[in-house]
Amino acid sequence: MRPLRGLSLYGHYLLLGFRSQAEYRVDLALMIFGVTVLNAVDVALLAVILTRFPALGGWSFWEVAFLYCLYLAALGLENTFLLHLVDIDELIRDGTLDHMLLRPRPVLLQMLAKDISPRDLAQVGLGLGGAWYSLHRLGLALGVAHWALLLAYLVAGAAVLGGIVLAICSVGFWTVRSRVFLAGTGELQEVVQHYPAHVFGQWFVGLVTLVLPFAAINYYPAAALLGKPTVVSGPLLALLPFLAAAGCLTAGGLVWRLGLRSYLSTGT
Amino acid sequence: MTSAVGHGGRVLLAFAWQGARTSTAYTTAYWMELLNAAVRVFAVVTVWAVLYRSYPQQFPVTGGQTKTYAAVTQLTAVMLTWWSGAHHRIARQVRDGTLYVDLLRPVSYPFQLLCWELGESAARLGLVVLPAGIPLFVLLGLGPPGSAAGGLLSAASTVLSFVLLYECNFLVGLVVFRTLSLKGVQHAYHALITLLSGLWIPLWLYPGPLAAISQVLPFRSIFYTPAAVYVGYLDGPAAVRACAVQLGWAVVLWLGLEAGWAGTRRALSAQGG
């Protein structure tokens, strides 16, 4: 299938999904309210800690808030467009994947274009708004180039997350259940979102840089934009989120292809 | 009377056993829960250790007490799984219509759910909290209770925490009978617990206004009281008073729960075929 045709079909599917979800206005409003309240409370807790203690691992409250918001925006972006990657094991179990394989369109496209989540778009807005406000409170006025870099980091962060999710969920081709492995990384993601990674030691930084590079979603981008020291520096620090994104997408794509090639259907 | 108590005990054990079996049905999920519990405790304890090392003068307790408080609250949270308790079960049953099965049983619905939750919490205590908590206590250099009496009182306080949390969850779950959905309400409720229960930050570090709000609500009794008694921040008469406040809330909320359930039950109608 020609890429442009695929892209237009993807856009069309997403629009349909958005419209169907926007029909349930009260549900949507409640979900957006919920996401806002929970994230506001998270930031309030960070504020309680960092107004009493001037810094955590050398990062001030507004720097930590910026770190948190970057992750929130990247997570929202990933969930908006790639949310249904987590359904891979369910599609295998209930046989829906067989139906998808029969259609003359890429399976991944069909899966991702199922619908779009306006709730997660709200998360992107909250994250970006919070990041802007944090920078404002830090007295940093980013120029256009820096904002473009921030947005590029956001896309890279979503790609890192998407690649990791695709790789982990594709394990479902062999284990039938895979969402549970993703759940196993839940607390690790929470930790990286809330606190600067170096607070937990060099081994932890290594883990979230080289094994499961969640730090490339917010820690390295925030350090690069705020000028904070990390284990890497210079051009490598600025490029690390993009390298991690390329690595994660490649790894995710490989596991997905291997899984799809070895897929023998449920046989029902 | 004795036979009634014996019957009640058997019912409780049967539901508790069911709850325990449910929470251990999937082996991989179990290992992931263990991993998540360990990561969570390690992270929160490390953050407080770093803060204590940097600003010891800001704390009214020792570094060991601060770290232990963090571990105890997180392990209690894992045991009670406050984010997915009775309110979620009620919402699921109302949505898929399976509530009637529980209503047909000759045991009150709130009591059934209480026993179910008790079983799940007991299973998590034995299978997640202790296997993750004991090595972490040793590795992170966390301490035993401040005193033997404090340890016993903290254990009793944890039981009351379980009851209190169950009652709060059940009362939130009753909203589903009117709205058919937990959305919104659940987030607001979880936000209140996150902010006011002392789960993430010891309440002795809270600024005045926030501390004052937490004083008049039951949420501080869920995580703060058992942990503060365990580390000895609350001891002697203060600890007994805190546990009495917990008991008072448990009684008040139980009365509210019974009244709320009676009203809901009267208005409830099941249809189907």
Side-chain angles (χ1 to χ4, degrees):
Chain A
M1 192 177 66
R2 284 170 301 173
L4 268 181
R5 169 81 183 124
L7 205 63
S8 116
L9 192 66
Y10 176 66
H12 183 68
Y13 275 148
L14 287 189
L15 193 65
L16 285 179
F18 184 83
R19 278 188 189 153
S20 74
Q21 291 212 25
E23 284 295 307
Y24 304 98
R25 284 184 196 150
V26 177
D27 263 14
L28 184 62
L30 284 175
M31 277 196 289
I32 292 172
F33 163 76
V35 167
T36 310
V37 166
L38 281 180
N39 284 295
V41 164
D42 262 2
V43 175
L45 285 175
L46 285 173
V48 169
I49 294 178
L50 288 160
T51 47
R52 191 162 186 114
F53 310 103
L56 174 62
W59 289 50
S60 70
F61 166 65
W62 289 109
E63 286 167 342
V64 176
F66 181 70
L67 180 87
Y68 178 93
C69 291
L70 269 191
Y71 198 100
L72 182 67
L75 177 69
L77 195 61
E78 191 267 341
N79 276 343
T80 302
F81 296 105
L82 308 176
L83 182 67
H84 291 289
L85 287 179
V86 298
D87 295 338
I88 291 175
D89 62 352
E90 206 176 309
L91 298 177
I92 294 169
R93 266 200 316 279
D94 67 15
T96 311
L97 195 70
D98 293 4
H99 294 239
M100 290 179 159
L101 282 165
L102 289 173
R103 295 182 193 138
R105 294 287 178 262
V107 178
L108 212 49
L109 177 80
Q110 294 178 54
M111 199 186 298
L112 294 180
K114 211 163 144 191
D115 60 33
I116 191 169
S117 165
R119 182 199 66 178
D120 296 310
L121 267 181
Q123 220 168 23
V124 178
L126 273 179
L128 276 176
W132 170 81
Y133 190 68
S134 304
L135 289 172
H136 170 70
R137 293 301 299 256
L138 285 166
L140 291 173
L142 296 190
V144 177
H146 276 100
W147 270 106
L149 185 62
L150 189 149
L151 292 177
Y153 279 147
L154 211 63
V155 175
V160 167
L161 211 47
I164 294 174
V165 172
L166 180 60
I168 292 177
C169 291
S170 296
V171 172
F173 281 109
W174 296 278
T175 60
V176 183
R177 281 184 189 278
S178 60
R179 204 181 291 206
V180 71
F181 296 115
L182 192 63
T185 68
E187 286 297 333
L188 200 60
Q189 293 189 52
E190 288 272 317
V191 172
V192 174
Q193 179 178 9
H194 285 78
Y195 311 109
H198 64 273
V199 164
F200 304 100
Q202 293 306 316
W203 70 271
F204 186 85
V205 175
L207 174 74
V208 294
T209 304
L210 301 170
V211 185
L212 288 166
F214 293 122
I217 298 168
N218 63 340
Y219 177 62
Y220 291 114
L225 289 164
L226 300 175
K228 308 296 290 183
T230 68
V231 285
V232 288
S233 56
L236 183 58
L237 173 64
L239 286 176
L240 201 139
F242 304 113
L243 296 174
C248 288
L249 285 179
T250 308
L254 271 176
V255 183
W256 163 258
R257 276 171 180 273
L258 276 174
L260 204 58
R261 204 175 294 163
S262 65
Y263 178 62
L264 294 173
S265 175
T266 49
T268 51
Chain B
M1 179 66 188
T2 314
S3 99
V5 171
H7 176 69
R10 276 198 301 279
V11 169
L12 194 149
L13 270 180
F15 276 106
W17 178 239
Q18 275 298 325
R21 287 180 64 183
T22 308
S23 63
T24 53
Y26 299 106
T27 320
T28 317
Y30 163 70
W31 285 108
M32 293 300 124
E33 198 178 346
L34 202 64
L35 176 69
N36 269 331
V39 171
R40 176 201 275 239
V41 173
F42 162 76
V44 179
V45 168
T46 306
V47 166
W48 285 108
V50 168
L51 287 171
Y52 190 88
R53 265 203 307 277
S54 308
Y55 312 100
Q57 71 285 358
Q58 292 275 3
F59 289 82
V61 292
T62 66
Q65 282 175 307
T66 306
K67 289 195 300 179
T68 305
Y69 176 95
V72 170
T73 48
Q74 295 309 317
L75 289 170
T76 309
V78 170
M79 183 176 75
L80 302 180
T81 55
W82 62 273
W83 58 91
S84 64
H87 50 321
H88 278 270
R89 190 173 162 80
I90 294 171
R92 199 169 53 245
Q93 287 189 306
V94 168
R95 205 171 45 243
D96 64 19
T98 52
L99 183 76
Y100 80 95
V101 179
D102 285 359
L103 295 180
L104 288 174
R105 295 196 181 109
V107 180
S108 89
Y109 181 62
F111 186 65
Q112 286 182 51
L113 278 196
L114 177 74
C115 296
W116 188 281
E117 292 291 325
L118 184 64
E120 289 201 345
S121 290
R124 268 192 300 276
L125 173 65
L127 296 167
V128 181
V129 172
L130 293 179
I134 293 170
L136 281 168
F137 261 62
V138 175
L139 286 172
L140 300 173
L142 306 174
S147 64
L152 285 173
L153 207 54
S154 172
S157 171
T158 306
V159 174
L160 284 171
S161 294
F162 164 79
V163 176
L164 255 176
L165 182 65
Y166 167 74
E167 291 165 343
C168 291
N169 286 345
F170 193 95
L171 285 167
V172 170
L174 286 182
V175 175
V176 179
F177 287 96
R178 312 274 171 200
T179 61
L180 301 180
S181 168
L182 259 185
K183 285 170 194 161
V185 178
Q186 168 194 258
H187 291 308
Y189 170 58
H190 287 178
L192 279 174
I193 292 191
T194 304
L195 192 62
L196 299 170
S197 68
L199 171 60
W200 297 103
I201 303 172
L203 294 181
W204 58 72
L205 293 174
Y206 268 36
L210 210 52
I213 294 171
S214 83
Q215 291 276 5
V216 295
L217 292 170
F219 305 115
R220 67 187 279 127
S221 291
I222 297 172
F223 293 115
Y224 169 75
T225 303
V229 172
Y230 182 94
V231 300
Y233 180 74
L234 293 176
D235 63 352
V240 174
R241 212 167 28 247
C243 292
V245 169
Q246 267 188 311
L247 186 62
W249 274 116
V251 171
V252 168
L253 290 177
W254 189 265
L255 293 174
L257 181 155
E258 286 290 351
W261 174 241
T264 304
R265 183 89 204 251
R266 265 196 304 276
L268 197 63
S269 63
Q271 295 173 351

